[in-house]
Amino acid sequence: MTHLLFQGVPGVTDLSGSLGTGKLSTVYCPLSTVADGDELHEECGVVAIHGHPDAARQAYLGLYALQHRGQESAGIATADGHHLANIKGMGLVSEIFTDEVLSKLPGRMAIGHTRYSTTGDSALLNAQPIRVESTKGLIAIAHNGNLVNLGTVRSKLERSGAYFQTTSDSEIIVQLIAHSRAGTLVDAIADSLSQVEGAFSSVMMTRDRIFAARDPRGFRPLSMGRIRNPEGPDTIIFASETCAFDLLRAEFVRDVLPGELVMVTEDGVTSRHYATGVQQSSCIFEHVYFARPDSKIYGRWVQQSRDQMGRQLARESGVPADVVVPVPDSGVTAALGYAEEAGLPFRLGLIRNHYVGRTFIQPEQRVRDFGVRLKLNPVRNLLEGKRVVLIDDSIIRGTTSRKIVRMVRGAGAKEVHLRISCPPTVSPCFYGVDTPSKRDLIAANKSIEEIRQFIEADSLAYLSLEGLLKACDGGEGNGFCVACYTGNYPTQWVDVEDILPAAATL
Ligand code: SF4
């Protein structure tokens, strides 16, 4: 039985409860445990729907397409002009939102969220959307990203009497809206967003309006789409990635711009820029790893960027070999580019088990012992006696990469050359990606040769920063955040503890 939280749902008292019978409770086990904590996690995916008779189901489909951005919890809030209902739960979108649950969410507007926690406890209360009764009326908010001046803003708000129900970033934004002296809601939202620093792509909903906003640096993606309706106003959609539009049969309209606040009402779409003159620093790691290859992010297809990363990698650090093998799934597109550029055969020499997820046997220790073998298995007849170029998108602690190299060698490969489709990750992310602190990042503490020895590869090379920027260049003058590869952060607020190298802690 999946545990759910109901808020404002017609005919249901606000409570934490459960629906359905005869099913086992979800046993929550974060993916990081399965992957030995050596995998980066996306923070969240958001979706918003305005003007659809079955908005809840549309939000469900949007979240379903964005499931890769967070598998810990999901929620949908709907509004029908009078009420604002919210249901959220722990687990996958499809586990939480059965037909029975969706039927309890009436209205022509919806916002939805799927989450992997980066700040705040991973509890049901912190799942989103967050629904709060404020001085400006009832409001629901769902947020992707990470605020970096959280502590300062929160203490300021608490001093002026704010009482927080959760530890999530979203509630900070809502409290700022509630405490704003601005006369109208849209002014209060703009006022609130201009006071927070960091990464946020947010969708908000009142009883009769939808808002979508991106932080002034545009760290996280957020796009607007529409479903044409010949008999009335179009349905307007916002989603973290354009792949959600495909499932909804919606057309892409444009990206929400950095520093832009868009409002959708019965009267149509209006927009304002609440912050200008800030250098754009969109997360380049969306192109490297997080976003789906079938999404268009910051005006460029992710598939195109990854293909170019692979080609550039082959040009920069090609090596005599027999076969190119990706570490699935995220290494696949870069490996295709590499193979084509190098004139080598591309082979799926590692098979990923897609059914390994959050729910797995306990106790945790047993899961750890399986390590990467739970997720990946080598195809011996493709690897035996071969010189293999293995393509992956990052090395975090190095432990998983070593297991994969050992696995490929164990399957009979004669040589294993690891190629990484981005530069060494030398500094943690403060903008919504769950990176370990600097002391745990292998590239922050070892040379490339030392890393090669550690992971036991015959050779190791990373894509250069110039090569990565070139591969992701959409030709639209995009500015990227590359702080995890350089340690140069686009905002002032970072946690000093987390950027100390291992040596400094001895
Ligand atoms: S630090 Fe890295 S992961 Fe974080 S926003 Fe910048 S590029 Fe993205």
Side-chain angles (χ1 to χ4, degrees):
M1 200 177 325
T2 300
H3 294 280
L4 304 173
L5 189 72
F6 302 92
Q7 293 173 308
V9 177
V12 183
T13 316
D14 283 10
L15 46 70
S16 170
S18 52
L19 285 176
T21 50
K23 283 198 230 153
L24 282 173
S25 286
T26 301
V27 181
Y28 173 65
C29 166
L31 254 177
S32 54
T33 305
V34 178
D36 279 354
D38 203 11
E39 195 170 86
L40 294 181
H41 295 268
E42 175 56 270
E43 58 301 334
C44 300
V46 296
V47 68
I49 311 286
H50 183 279
H52 195 284
D54 196 0
R57 203 165 294 270
Q58 297 295 300
Y60 165 82
L61 290 171
L63 291 180
Y64 195 85
L66 298 175
Q67 185 75 81
H68 61 289
R69 296 183 73 88
Q71 299 96 38
E72 182 180 308
S73 65
I76 296 175
T78 56
D80 61 3
H82 307 286
H83 302 101
L84 200 157
N86 190 22
I87 298 180
K88 49 194 178 177
M90 303 302 290
L92 299 175
V93 175
S94 57
E95 291 169 345
I96 299 163
F97 292 102
T98 58
D99 271 341
E100 186 187 359
V101 175
L102 285 170
S103 69
K104 295 183 184 303
L105 289 166
R108 293 178 61 83
M109 296 192 298
I111 62 170
H113 188 264
T114 181
R115 177 176 194 254
Y116 174 80
S117 149
T118 48
T119 58
D121 302 327
S122 57
L124 188 51
L125 198 60
N126 276 315
Q128 296 184 36
I130 286 178
R131 176 185 176 273
V132 184
E133 183 73 73
S134 81
T135 48
K136 306 284 185 302
L138 199 52
I139 187 163
I141 178 168
H143 161 105
N144 171 205
N146 217 21
L147 302 183
V148 288
N149 61 341
L150 203 67
T152 324
V153 179
R154 193 178 168 112
S155 334
K156 209 168 110 189
L157 281 165
E158 277 169 346
R159 279 198 303 276
S160 44
Y163 170 73
F164 285 86
Q165 296 169 31
T166 72
T167 54
S168 89
D169 288 5
S170 297
E171 198 183 348
I172 301 263
I173 295 175
V174 175
Q175 291 281 7
L176 282 169
I177 296 169
H179 283 76
S180 170
R181 295 210 172 93
T184 65
L185 179 64
V186 66
D187 287 341
I189 292 175
D191 180 34
S192 145
L193 297 179
S194 61
Q195 291 179 59
V196 288
E197 176 82 276
F200 54 87
S201 281
S202 300
V203 288
M204 288 166 255
M205 184 175 66
T206 62
R207 290 183 173 98
D208 58 2
R209 276 178 282 182
I210 293 267
F211 298 89
R214 253 175 109 197
D215 68 77
R217 292 181 178 80
F219 276 106
R220 300 282 147 223
L222 186 63
S223 300
M224 183 162 91
R226 101 175 120 210
I227 302 172
R228 287 192 187 274
N229 180 7
E231 280 141 35
D234 293 343
T235 299
I236 301 295
I237 298 163
F238 298 92
S240 294
E241 285 183 41
T242 59
C243 63
F245 298 155
D246 298 337
L247 196 56
L248 293 167
R249 294 180 193 276
E251 65 188 54
F252 170 78
V253 176
R254 66 176 179 88
D255 282 344
V256 175
L257 297 173
E260 184 183 12
L261 171 62
V262 182
M263 179 170 78
V264 191
T265 67
E266 287 291 304
D267 299 327
V269 180
T270 53
S271 153
R272 69 157 74 179
H273 291 270
Y274 68 89
T276 50
V278 183
Q279 170 69 39
Q280 185 174 351
S281 55
S282 297
C283 173
I284 205 161
F285 207 52
E286 293 276 354
H287 274 280
V288 174
Y289 172 73
F290 286 130
R292 278 180 28 172
D294 50 340
S295 287
K296 201 173 186 182
I297 298 287
Y298 323 134
R300 179 160 173 94
W301 289 105
V302 174
Q303 180 279 332
Q304 209 177 357
S305 295
R306 289 194 191 150
D307 177 75
Q308 286 301 321
M309 286 171 212
R311 288 175 187 277
Q312 186 66 23
L313 197 51
R315 288 193 285 268
E316 289 182 9
S317 57
V319 61
D322 302 309
V323 66
V324 177
V325 171
V327 175
D329 291 324
S330 47
V332 170
T333 315
L336 277 164
Y338 185 106
E340 225 169 270
E341 186 70 24
L344 290 170
F346 167 91
R347 294 287 181 267
L348 289 170
L350 288 169
I351 301 299
R352 187 185 174 111
N353 181 344
H354 288 270
Y355 304 98
V356 177
R358 300 160 310 98
T359 53
F360 197 64
I361 54 167
Q362 292 196 349
E364 283 187 20
Q365 195 52 47
R366 275 197 212 158
V367 180
R368 282 188 194 280
D369 291 342
F370 281 107
V372 79
R373 285 186 298 132
L374 264 180
K375 279 174 56 173
L376 296 174
N377 201 35
V379 185
R380 183 171 278 274
N381 69 315
L382 292 176
L383 302 170
E384 213 155 26
K386 300 281 183 359
R387 295 170 300 169
V388 176
V389 179
L390 201 56
I391 309 284
D392 204 353
D393 48 46
S394 47
I395 302 179
I396 306 305
R397 290 182 170 87
T399 46
T400 298
S401 303
R402 181 167 63 183
K403 285 176 186 166
I404 296 171
V405 170
R406 281 181 182 170
M407 176 184 280
V408 172
R409 215 186 284 285
K414 209 158 63 180
E415 293 171 16
V416 185
H417 303 276
L418 185 59
R419 296 291 177 270
I420 304 297
S421 60
C422 63
T425 306
V426 296
S427 226
C429 176
F430 297 96
Y431 311 118
V433 176
D434 188 31
T435 335
S437 60
K438 199 155 184 163
R439 64 183 66 98
D440 294 321
L441 289 170
I442 192 167
N445 301 290
K446 287 186 193 292
S447 69
I448 293 180
E449 172 54 20
E450 286 169 334
I451 301 170
R452 184 199 67 76
Q453 286 173 20
F454 179 81
I455 62 171
E456 299 169 5
D458 292 284
S459 75
L460 167 67
Y462 291 84
L463 181 60
S464 67
L465 184 58
E466 299 68 40
L468 175 63
L469 287 165
K470 200 171 145 194
C472 296
D473 180 15
E476 294 178 11
N478 278 329
F480 284 111
C481 173
V482 290
C484 47
Y485 308 125
T486 61
N488 299 324
Y489 293 93
T491 61
Q492 282 182 339
W493 305 80
V494 296
D495 189 339
V496 176
E497 265 288 292
D498 276 353
I499 54 171
L500 294 176
T505 66
L506 296 175

